[in-house]
């Protein structure tokens, strides 16, 4: 999961709980003091910093097993660490996940007035769909259901037109 997707998921989950008056944490991790003396495989999760995790992730393709070997831990620990601290391992066009403040007004205009889809905006800006969706949601823009507007060809139709 990319950082922008994790932010969107967290935002959506918090909103859902708040709408239902539920004041529970989004994630629960048990504290097991009685098991503290056990020697479990791999290093202690808290011994691997976020910086170490992010530095260990290579720039291209990687595997969880290779990352675990690099960090001298287990694959289960790496999966847990990545779920807590997502790493942007995506291709370069999706790496600009934090770049949202400047273009927000333009994105809002394109979305609300020009009726562009979230994907169209993401493609135009060279960022991810999740980044655009999160930026608009965080700034109070109501999202519409995915559908075509009259006179606006569907995404598949536009792709066919580009190929011809």
């Amino acid at each position: 999961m990319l950082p922008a997707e994790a932010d969107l998921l967290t935002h959506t989950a918090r909103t859902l709980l708040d709408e239902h008056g539920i004041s529970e944490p989004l994630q629960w991790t048990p504290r097991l003091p009685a098991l503290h003396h056990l020697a479990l495989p791999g290093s202690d999760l808290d011994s691997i910093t976020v910086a170490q995790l992010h530095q260990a992730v290579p720039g291209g393709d990687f595997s969880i097993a290779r990352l675990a070997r690099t960090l001298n831990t287990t694959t289960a620990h790496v999966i847990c660490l990545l779920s807590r601290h997502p790493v942007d391992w995506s291709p370069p066009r999706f790496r600009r996940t934090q770049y949202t403040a400047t273009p927000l007004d333009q994105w809002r205009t394109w979305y609300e007035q020009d009726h562009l889809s979230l994907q169209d905006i993401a493609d135009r800006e060279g960022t991810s769909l999740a980044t655009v969706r999160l930026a608009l949601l965080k700034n109070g823009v109501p999202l519409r259901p995915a559908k075509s507007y009259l006179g606006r060809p569907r995404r598949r139709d536009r792709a066919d037109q580009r190929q011809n």
Side-chain angles (χ1 to χ4, degrees), residues 75-110:
T75 56
H77 281 173
V78 170
I79 292 168
C80 181
L81 287 168
L82 288 173
S83 72
R84 289 182 186 174
H85 312 288
V87 175
D88 196 351
W89 48 266
S90 60
R93 98 179 253 273
F94 292 108
R95 288 210 177 114
R96 293 172 13 190
T97 57
Q98 301 309 314
Y99 158 77
T100 59
T102 306
L104 183 64
D105 289 336
Q106 180 63 60
W107 293 0
R108 180 189 296 263
T109 300
W110 286 340

Side-chain angles (χ1 to χ4, degrees), residues 7-106:
D7 287 347
L8 179 60
L9 184 60
T10 299
H11 175 77
T12 303
R14 180 81 272 151
T15 300
L16 182 65
L17 290 178
D18 289 348
E19 285 174 355
H20 290 85
I22 301 170
S23 59
E24 293 290 329
L26 295 178
Q27 185 175 16
W28 179 77
T29 305
R31 300 287 179 220
L32 305 171
L35 302 177
H36 185 63
H37 65 282
L38 291 177
L40 300 173
S43 57
D44 178 21
L45 280 179
D46 295 329
S47 72
I48 301 171
T49 67
V50 175
Q52 288 171 319
L53 174 68
H54 288 209
Q55 278 182 323
V57 175
D61 292 337
F62 75 95
S63 72
I64 298 293
R66 188 175 335 146
L67 189 54
R69 281 192 303 276
T70 302
L71 294 170
N72 195 28
T73 191
T74 65
T75 56
H77 281 173
V78 170
I79 292 168
C80 181
L81 287 168
L82 288 173
S83 72
R84 289 182 186 174
H85 312 288
V87 175
D88 196 351
W89 48 266
S90 60
R93 98 179 253 273
F94 292 108
R95 288 210 177 114
R96 293 172 13 190
T97 57
Q98 301 309 314
Y99 158 77
T100 59
T102 306
L104 183 64
D105 289 336
Q106 180 63 60

Side-chain angles (χ1 to χ4, degrees), residues 93-94 96 99-137 141-144 149 152 155 158 162:
R93 98 179 253 273
F94 292 108
R96 293 172 13 190
Y99 158 77
T100 59
T102 306
L104 183 64
D105 289 336
Q106 180 63 60
W107 293 0
R108 180 189 296 263
T109 300
W110 286 340
Y111 186 73
E112 292 179 338
Q113 295 173 15
D114 299 341
H115 305 292
L116 291 181
S117 70
L118 298 177
Q119 186 64 59
D120 288 339
I121 295 168
D123 290 345
R124 205 177 256 197
E125 291 292 291
T127 191
S128 70
L129 174 79
T131 298
V132 174
R133 180 181 290 129
L134 181 63
L136 293 177
L137 278 172
V141 177
L143 300 185
R144 61 184 181 256
Y149 279 83
R152 180 175 164 257
R155 186 165 175 75
R158 289 191 308 262
R162 280 185 228 136

